Amino acid sequence: MPEHPNRTVVDYLGDSNSPLHSTRLLEEYLINLLKCTEDTITRIRTEYLLENYRKNNVGSTISNIKVITKRQKTSLYKLIQEAGQSCLIIFYDPDCSSCDAVFERLKEQKPTGLRVIAISITGMEKDIDKSWVSAFVEDEAEMDEKFYYTSLPSIYIVSDEGIVVKKDILP
């Protein structure tokens, strides 16, 4: 999809590392853009962004997806339930160097009070810390339908009930 005409605004408001990051303001901006645009292409792109930025926001229940762990089919909800505590969920690609760097930081920091669930978005898993839950997405199309990530790794902190507490964070 070609660049959105207002990419700078979307980048500043939508990037969790930006000092101007605000999901609420981004949503408001996109809604107002829809109200005032007459261009069909801009409308379609804006509707697409709005729909995707609304996925798995703070305060909502994280989307459930089918995953495979230890060669068994299960679900993200089941992994969270089995953890019995808040979880740090990291979606990654095994070939991603940024993901490797985040894994190293997480190993060093050893998040306390959080169960780490590492989910590969491809059919291949990475060798990870033995105390973490390792899984991979069973259906990549389902992942693309239920999650929107602008870069990898994509990290969420969820409560033991699966409520998103933080989204797109870096350790």
Side-chain angles (χ1 to χ4, degrees):
M1 177 176 280
E3 292 240 348
H4 190 278
N6 296 293
R7 190 77 232 170
T8 302
V9 173
V10 172
D11 284 345
Y12 278 117
L13 295 177
D15 181 358
S16 61
N17 296 313
S18 166
L20 301 175
H21 177 254
S22 172
T23 306
R24 184 182 55 76
L25 285 177
L26 176 60
E27 185 173 353
E28 189 175 317
Y29 167 76
L30 293 173
I31 289 168
N32 285 322
L33 184 59
L34 279 173
K35 288 178 184 175
C36 68
T37 189
E38 294 179 17
D39 179 56
T40 304
I41 300 296
T42 300
R43 175 172 291 287
I44 290 169
R45 289 179 181 152
T46 304
E47 287 170 346
Y48 171 81
L49 278 173
L50 185 58
E51 175 185 335
N52 281 298
Y53 273 108
R54 286 178 169 164
K55 293 178 181 176
N56 300 297
N57 281 327
V58 172
S60 67
T61 301
I62 197 162
S63 294
N64 195 20
I65 56 171
K66 294 175 267 185
V67 296
I68 298 174
T69 184
K70 297 178 186 168
R71 297 192 176 142
Q72 293 182 330
K73 293 182 180 186
T74 187
S75 71
L76 179 55
Y77 282 1
K78 184 81 169 159
L79 294 178
I80 294 167
Q81 182 182 26
E82 288 171 355
Q85 66 186 76
S86 294
C87 297
L88 184 149
I89 301 168
I90 180 169
F91 292 100
Y92 72 95
D93 182 329
D95 295 325
C96 167
S97 60
S98 297
C99 300
D100 291 340
V102 169
F103 280 170
E104 287 304 314
R105 275 190 269 162
L106 285 172
K107 285 179 190 176
E108 291 169 8
Q109 293 175 358
K110 298 197 185 294
T112 55
L114 294 171
R115 178 74 166 170
V116 177
I117 301 173
I119 301 175
S120 170
I121 62 166
T122 71
M124 298 175 50
E125 293 174 273
K126 197 168 191 57
D127 212 11
I128 61 168
D129 189 289
K130 301 296 182 211
S131 66
W132 298 356
V133 175
S134 178
F136 62 90
V137 173
E138 180 181 337
D139 181 352
E140 291 178 36
E142 178 188 38
M143 175 72 183
D144 289 342
E145 176 188 320
K146 293 185 177 181
F147 285 87
Y148 179 71
Y149 45 92
T150 55
S151 65
L152 290 173
S154 183
I155 304 174
Y156 295 81
I157 294 181
V158 299
S159 70
D160 57 342
E161 293 97 22
I163 305 299
V164 178
V165 177
K166 292 187 179 180
K167 177 181 176 179
D168 296 329
I169 61 158
L170 288 177

